[in-house]
Amino acid sequence: MNHRTMLLNALAAAKAEGKSRKIIAAKAGVTEVSIWNWVEGHTVPNIMSMTAVINACGYQLKFTMFKGIE
């Protein structure tokens, strides 16, 4: 799953719970314009901003590091 899909899913769930993008952005410490740019694919969020927005939507990201094929 890419960042755009994760954001769209989290934002849709937050919207269903009555949370606006304005509220999500304020809680995450980012701008609404940044979220719009990420969702539209104009820019890519850094990992800290992505995590903050997902958390503000009521979700949590989990990461696993593993050694790839050499």
Side-chain angles (χ1 to χ4, degrees):
M1 182 181 299
N2 64 32
H3 76 277
R4 187 170 181 264
T5 303
M6 283 190 277
L7 284 170
L8 286 170
N9 289 339
L11 290 165
K15 184 177 181 180
E17 294 176 1
K19 296 178 186 173
S20 69
R21 283 194 187 182
K22 183 176 185 173
I23 291 169
I24 297 299
K27 192 171 183 181
V30 300
T31 65
E32 288 179 80
V33 172
S34 292
I35 293 175
W36 182 84
N37 280 320
W38 300 333
V39 168
E40 293 299 317
H42 298 298
T43 58
V44 177
N46 66 46
I47 196 67
M48 297 303 289
S49 296
M50 176 77 172
T51 301
V53 172
I54 297 294
N55 289 346
C57 290
Y59 288 87
Q60 191 175 41
L61 286 178
K62 282 188 166 185
F63 298 96
T64 303
M65 190 169 106
F66 58 93
K67 187 171 182 174
I69 299 172
E70 293 181 19

